[in-house]
Amino acid sequence: MAKFLLDTNILIPVEDARATPDSYASLLRDLQAKGHTSHVHDATLADIKRDQDAARRSISLSKAAKYPRIKNSWRDRSALTKEFGEIRNENDLSDAHILSALYDGIVDALITEDQGLHTRAHRRGLGQKVLTVRQALDFINGTYARIDYVLKSVSRKFCYELRPTDPIFDSLISDYPPFASWMEKCRRNDRECWVVEDDSSIAALVIFKDESSDETPSGVLGDRVLKLCTFKVSERYRGGRLGEQLLRQAMWFGYDGGYDAAYLTVFPKQIALRELIQSFGFRNVSEQANGELVYAKHWDRHLKLDASDVVRVRRNYPAWPAKFHRGLIVPVRPGYHDRLFPEAASRLADMPGDLFASAWSQGTPERSSPSNSIRKVYLGYTPTATIEPGTLVAFYRSSDNEMGVKSAVTAVGIAERYDRIDEYEQAVAIVAKRSVYTNEELEVLVQKPGLKALTFLFYGYLKEPLLRADLEGRGLLDGPPQSFVGVSGDRLKLLEQFVSGNLEAA
């Protein structure tokens, strides 16, 4: 099981005398029920000891004593600064000590609501191991891996088509009371939105509009700008990566539509959303009078991207790189393929498709999570020792005879990292935020040696899937692939030719 480190802002709301938020209470209960362990760090105790309220300090320390303690590492202040960024005060010093435990693998994940700590971790490459309470609950309970709701595809609608009393609007009004009257203007002005719905309510929503340069806030550049006015995922559907799916929709729309930039405003407390958009090139360019931060993404359409520069590629997503150095064809069994790429199965058989496509290969009504994320993880067994970042990856779905699905390359991504997995805790650290696998499945997978994790940036589906006959006939495959097939030289050029201009978001 995994070791979770609780930050001060998690420990105190749980352990102090005030009413405990439901999500915090659920967190500790579920951690224990699933067999995970909770720990506190010496640096957290140091934070508590700085509390000026003596009575509260004494109570907090006594309650913290029941948790196993993680000690400070060998690093002095100078080494911590070098590893984890500038240390300006004692709180920064505590944060650096906590991140050192995460970096050294002493614990598997940190749970915190501290946005500064999330940012510091993200800069050090530890962002995937730092979870909010909501994200931790989603992982612990497997909701990143499985969702029981049957949802429809992302739809483009007018705002006046949305039911005004839908529950998703309650939290929007709570955060911003004038939202109700603003929404009425959207309805009257035929404002459009992207929406994901179940049979009775809105699961996720983005309201958008065109803006010209004289309308945009400071720091947003360009003559034609896409404004994401509202970006919201219903609390009920957190953990299904719908926010990432809608961000992908918006970025494809903006790039294909010729926009110079896209932007949105977020409150500082929206840690998860800020972390998500920053990883795809949105930058904080200004701040509004009400405290909202303006995040903008600008596309340089003249930039010749080299696929090996994976950070720049992700920041310019979905711009397609001009140069690849190597390629790979990855065979995926139908069940896992349909979780990773839910829209693909309906392209290969005469079946209806939706965002949460059924597990066609199993021939059952069970609905599997599609991993709506842009950055996905494929787990499998292969003798391939290394995969270079920036490798063009073509995913090949093997056939499913009883369902009449043909073998073909259906989806394309770009490799970002490749890891050998030897134990469950390592799997958790790599896939915790973007896995299509349940915790139970992970535990089974790591029992067999040779498990590898391929983290990749998902671009899209081939408008015309490359059927096995075409792949063999044109020399890309010599037969049905049993493992990873490397592609280089003329074959790589041919694969690029097949993919270029044949991609679409969904």
Side-chain angles (χ1 to χ4, degrees), residues 152-163 166 169 183 186-187 189-209 246 249 253:
K152 301 174 184 176
S153 312
V154 175
S155 304
R156 183 173 176 176
K157 292 188 173 185
F158 290 104
C159 287
Y160 61 71
E161 296 181 82
L162 307 181
R163 179 166 55 91
D166 191 282
F169 296 124
M183 188 63 181
C186 291
R187 295 173 186 278
N189 294 332
D190 295 344
R191 185 73 58 82
E192 290 186 283
C193 61
W194 293 298
V195 62
V196 178
E197 300 172 279
D198 64 14
D199 291 332
S200 62
S201 63
I202 297 172
L205 170 71
V206 172
I207 299 174
F208 62 94
K209 63 171 289 199
L246 287 177
Q249 168 77 36
F253 179 83

Side-chain angles (χ1 to χ4, degrees), residues 380-446:
Y381 305 96
T382 172
T384 302
T386 61
I387 296 175
E388 294 297 322
T391 297
L392 170 59
V393 185
F395 291 91
Y396 176 93
R397 186 190 193 279
S398 55
S399 66
D400 204 0
N401 292 333
E402 71 272 19
M403 302 302 293
V405 181
K406 301 174 183 177
S407 302
V409 167
T410 62
V412 174
I414 296 175
E416 290 200 325
R417 60 179 289 176
Y418 186 61
D419 298 274
R420 178 186 174 90
I421 305 294
D422 295 312
E423 55 186 17
Y424 173 75
E425 289 76 14
Q426 185 186 8
V428 167
I430 291 173
V431 308
K433 286 188 178 182
R434 52 184 183 270
S435 172
V436 297
Y437 305 92
T438 65
N439 298 336
E440 291 77 12
E441 286 173 323
L442 284 178
E443 290 191 81
V444 173
L445 286 169
V446 298

Side-chain angles (χ1 to χ4, degrees), residues 51-62:
D51 189 345
Q52 298 300 309
D53 186 321
R56 183 174 58 197
R57 181 174 67 244
S58 177
I59 293 172
S60 298
L61 287 172
S62 68

Side-chain angles (χ1 to χ4, degrees), residues 306-322:
D306 187 311
S308 63
D309 189 348
V310 292
V311 173
R312 182 171 288 185
V313 167
R314 186 173 354 119
R315 288 176 178 171
N316 283 275
Y317 184 90
W320 187 246

